[in-house]
mmCIF file of all heavy atoms in Angstrom:
data_model
loop_
_atom_site.group_PDB
_atom_site.id
_atom_site.type_symbol
_atom_site.label_atom_id
_atom_site.label_comp_id
_atom_site.label_asym_id
_atom_site.label_seq_id
_atom_site.Cartn_x
_atom_site.Cartn_y
_atom_site.Cartn_z
ATOM 1 N N LEU A 8 25.611 22.602 -62.158
ATOM 2 C CA LEU A 8 25.453 23.714 -61.230
ATOM 3 C C LEU A 8 24.579 23.320 -60.038
ATOM 4 O O LEU A 8 24.890 23.626 -58.886
ATOM 5 C CB LEU A 8 24.859 24.929 -61.961
ATOM 6 C CG LEU A 8 24.761 26.215 -61.174
ATOM 7 C CD1 LEU A 8 26.142 26.664 -60.750
ATOM 8 C CD2 LEU A 8 24.083 27.291 -61.986
ATOM 9 N N VAL A 9 23.476 22.609 -60.290
ATOM 10 C CA VAL A 9 22.590 22.157 -59.213
ATOM 11 C C VAL A 9 23.321 21.171 -58.309
ATOM 12 O O VAL A 9 23.230 21.238 -57.082
ATOM 13 C CB VAL A 9 21.307 21.526 -59.796
ATOM 14 C CG1 VAL A 9 20.509 20.817 -58.724
ATOM 15 C CG2 VAL A 9 20.477 22.592 -60.475
ATOM 16 N N ALA A 10 24.100 20.283 -58.872
ATOM 17 C CA ALA A 10 24.849 19.311 -58.066
ATOM 18 C C ALA A 10 25.881 20.010 -57.197
ATOM 19 O O ALA A 10 26.112 19.630 -56.052
ATOM 20 C CB ALA A 10 25.521 18.284 -58.972
ATOM 21 N N LEU A 11 26.516 21.047 -57.717
ATOM 22 C CA LEU A 11 27.475 21.801 -56.920
ATOM 23 C C LEU A 11 26.799 22.533 -55.776
ATOM 24 O O LEU A 11 27.320 22.613 -54.668
ATOM 25 C CB LEU A 11 28.231 22.804 -57.799
ATOM 26 C CG LEU A 11 29.403 22.238 -58.589
ATOM 27 C CD1 LEU A 11 29.949 23.291 -59.541
ATOM 28 C CD2 LEU A 11 30.487 21.768 -57.666
ATOM 29 N N LEU A 12 25.617 23.095 -56.042
ATOM 30 C CA LEU A 12 24.908 23.824 -54.993
ATOM 31 C C LEU A 12 24.385 22.897 -53.912
ATOM 32 O O LEU A 12 24.440 23.201 -52.724
ATOM 33 C CB LEU A 12 23.760 24.648 -55.590
ATOM 34 C CG LEU A 12 24.184 25.846 -56.447
ATOM 35 C CD1 LEU A 12 22.970 26.483 -57.065
ATOM 36 C CD2 LEU A 12 24.935 26.849 -55.607
ATOM 37 N N VAL A 13 23.831 21.774 -54.302
ATOM 38 C CA VAL A 13 23.223 20.851 -53.344
ATOM 39 C C VAL A 13 24.285 20.056 -52.590
ATOM 40 O O VAL A 13 24.299 20.006 -51.368
ATOM 41 C CB VAL A 13 22.227 19.903 -54.046
ATOM 42 C CG1 VAL A 13 21.736 18.829 -53.107
ATOM 43 C CG2 VAL A 13 21.075 20.692 -54.607
ATOM 44 N N GLY A 14 25.186 19.442 -53.302
ATOM 45 C CA GLY A 14 26.137 18.549 -52.662
ATOM 46 C C GLY A 14 27.486 19.168 -52.412
ATOM 47 O O GLY A 14 28.313 18.598 -51.719
ATOM 48 N N GLY A 15 27.748 20.318 -52.982
ATOM 49 C CA GLY A 15 29.062 20.907 -52.852
ATOM 50 C C GLY A 15 30.034 20.210 -53.786
ATOM 51 O O GLY A 15 29.673 19.292 -54.534
ATOM 52 N N ALA A 16 31.248 20.631 -53.740
ATOM 53 C CA ALA A 16 32.256 20.044 -54.623
ATOM 54 C C ALA A 16 32.548 18.601 -54.235
ATOM 55 O O ALA A 16 33.024 17.818 -55.050
ATOM 56 C CB ALA A 16 33.531 20.865 -54.579
ATOM 57 N N SER A 17 32.249 18.235 -52.995
ATOM 58 C CA SER A 17 32.529 16.866 -52.560
ATOM 59 C C SER A 17 31.608 15.851 -53.222
ATOM 60 O O SER A 17 31.847 14.658 -53.136
ATOM 61 C CB SER A 17 32.392 16.761 -51.042
ATOM 62 O OG SER A 17 31.056 17.014 -50.663
ATOM 63 N N ALA A 18 30.558 16.312 -53.899
ATOM 64 C CA ALA A 18 29.662 15.383 -54.580
ATOM 65 C C ALA A 18 30.359 14.713 -55.750
ATOM 66 O O ALA A 18 29.972 13.624 -56.163
ATOM 67 C CB ALA A 18 28.415 16.113 -55.063
ATOM 68 N N PHE A 19 31.400 15.366 -56.295
ATOM 69 C CA PHE A 19 32.089 14.814 -57.447
ATOM 70 C C PHE A 19 33.361 14.079 -57.083
ATOM 71 O O PHE A 19 33.976 13.453 -57.919
ATOM 72 C CB PHE A 19 32.410 15.943 -58.444
ATOM 73 C CG PHE A 19 31.171 16.591 -58.980
ATOM 74 C CD1 PHE A 19 30.761 17.814 -58.508
ATOM 75 C CD2 PHE A 19 30.395 15.947 -59.921
ATOM 76 C CE1 PHE A 19 29.623 18.393 -58.983
ATOM 77 C CE2 PHE A 19 29.244 16.519 -60.394
ATOM 78 C CZ PHE A 19 28.842 17.750 -59.931
ATOM 79 N N VAL A 20 33.780 14.165 -55.840
ATOM 80 C CA VAL A 20 34.980 13.467 -55.390
ATOM 81 C C VAL A 20 34.538 12.141 -54.788
ATOM 82 O O VAL A 20 33.668 12.110 -53.925
ATOM 83 C CB VAL A 20 35.739 14.306 -54.333
ATOM 84 C CG1 VAL A 20 36.965 13.558 -53.848
ATOM 85 C CG2 VAL A 20 36.109 15.648 -54.911
ATOM 86 N N PRO A 21 35.078 11.043 -55.223
ATOM 87 C CA PRO A 21 34.664 9.757 -54.654
ATOM 88 C C PRO A 21 35.063 9.661 -53.187
ATOM 89 O O PRO A 21 36.096 10.185 -52.771
ATOM 90 C CB PRO A 21 35.399 8.720 -55.504
ATOM 91 C CG PRO A 21 36.530 9.463 -56.137
ATOM 92 C CD PRO A 21 36.080 10.890 -56.282
ATOM 93 N N SER A 22 34.224 8.975 -52.392
ATOM 94 C CA SER A 22 34.479 8.865 -50.964
ATOM 95 C C SER A 22 35.611 7.899 -50.658
ATOM 96 O O SER A 22 36.284 8.027 -49.642
ATOM 97 C CB SER A 22 33.211 8.425 -50.232
ATOM 98 O OG SER A 22 32.800 7.183 -50.727
ATOM 99 N N THR A 23 35.815 6.901 -51.494
ATOM 100 C CA THR A 23 36.925 5.971 -51.298
ATOM 101 C C THR A 23 37.963 6.240 -52.378
ATOM 102 O O THR A 23 37.617 6.613 -53.500
ATOM 103 C CB THR A 23 36.441 4.511 -51.410
ATOM 104 O OG1 THR A 23 35.837 4.327 -52.690
ATOM 105 C CG2 THR A 23 35.444 4.192 -50.315
ATOM 106 N N PRO A 24 39.229 6.080 -52.068
ATOM 107 C CA PRO A 24 40.250 6.335 -53.086
ATOM 108 C C PRO A 24 40.180 5.282 -54.186
ATOM 109 O O PRO A 24 40.118 4.084 -53.916
ATOM 110 C CB PRO A 24 41.559 6.262 -52.308
ATOM 111 C CG PRO A 24 41.266 5.434 -51.124
ATOM 112 C CD PRO A 24 39.812 5.683 -50.805
ATOM 113 N N ARG A 25 40.120 5.776 -55.405
ATOM 114 C CA ARG A 25 40.106 4.848 -56.532
ATOM 115 C C ARG A 25 41.546 4.662 -56.996
ATOM 116 O O ARG A 25 42.247 5.637 -57.261
ATOM 117 C CB ARG A 25 39.268 5.409 -57.669
ATOM 118 C CG ARG A 25 37.815 5.450 -57.314
ATOM 119 C CD ARG A 25 37.020 5.740 -58.522
ATOM 120 N NE ARG A 25 35.610 5.707 -58.150
ATOM 121 C CZ ARG A 25 34.647 5.801 -59.000
ATOM 122 N NH1 ARG A 25 34.894 5.963 -60.265
ATOM 123 N NH2 ARG A 25 33.406 5.744 -58.597
ATOM 124 N N HIS A 26 41.923 3.468 -57.048
ATOM 125 C CA HIS A 26 43.254 3.186 -57.538
ATOM 126 C C HIS A 26 43.204 1.923 -58.374
ATOM 127 O O HIS A 26 42.440 1.002 -58.102
ATOM 128 C CB HIS A 26 44.259 3.055 -56.391
ATOM 129 C CG HIS A 26 43.826 2.095 -55.325
ATOM 130 N ND1 HIS A 26 42.956 2.447 -54.325
ATOM 131 C CD2 HIS A 26 44.151 0.800 -55.125
ATOM 132 C CE1 HIS A 26 42.765 1.406 -53.528
ATOM 133 N NE2 HIS A 26 43.465 0.395 -54.000
ATOM 134 N N VAL A 27 44.006 1.939 -59.409
ATOM 135 C CA VAL A 27 44.022 0.811 -60.325
ATOM 136 C C VAL A 27 44.786 -0.334 -59.721
ATOM 137 O O VAL A 27 44.297 -1.445 -59.639
ATOM 138 C CB VAL A 27 44.634 1.231 -61.687
ATOM 139 C CG1 VAL A 27 44.684 0.052 -62.629
ATOM 140 C CG2 VAL A 27 43.867 2.379 -62.277
ATOM 141 N N GLY A 28 45.952 -0.071 -59.251
ATOM 142 C CA GLY A 28 46.780 -1.115 -58.676
ATOM 143 C C GLY A 28 46.933 -0.904 -57.184
ATOM 144 O O GLY A 28 46.545 0.113 -56.638
ATOM 145 N N SER A 29 47.531 -1.893 -56.541
ATOM 146 C CA SER A 29 47.714 -1.779 -55.101
ATOM 147 C C SER A 29 48.860 -0.851 -54.746
ATOM 148 O O SER A 29 49.006 -0.465 -53.612
ATOM 149 C CB SER A 29 47.962 -3.170 -54.501
ATOM 150 O OG SER A 29 49.152 -3.697 -55.057
ATOM 151 N N ASN A 30 49.704 -0.501 -55.723
ATOM 152 C CA ASN A 30 50.847 0.335 -55.415
ATOM 153 C C ASN A 30 50.566 1.817 -55.666
ATOM 154 O O ASN A 30 51.488 2.609 -55.698
ATOM 155 C CB ASN A 30 52.090 -0.130 -56.192
ATOM 156 C CG ASN A 30 51.819 -0.161 -57.680
ATOM 157 O OD1 ASN A 30 50.737 0.168 -58.117
ATOM 158 N ND2 ASN A 30 52.821 -0.570 -58.442
#
Side-chain angles (χ1 to χ4, degrees):
L8 186 61
V9 169
L11 278 173
L12 291 175
V13 172
S17 64
F19 297 103
V20 179
S22 60
T23 58
R25 292 191 177 186
H26 52 278
V27 179
S29 62
N30 56 1

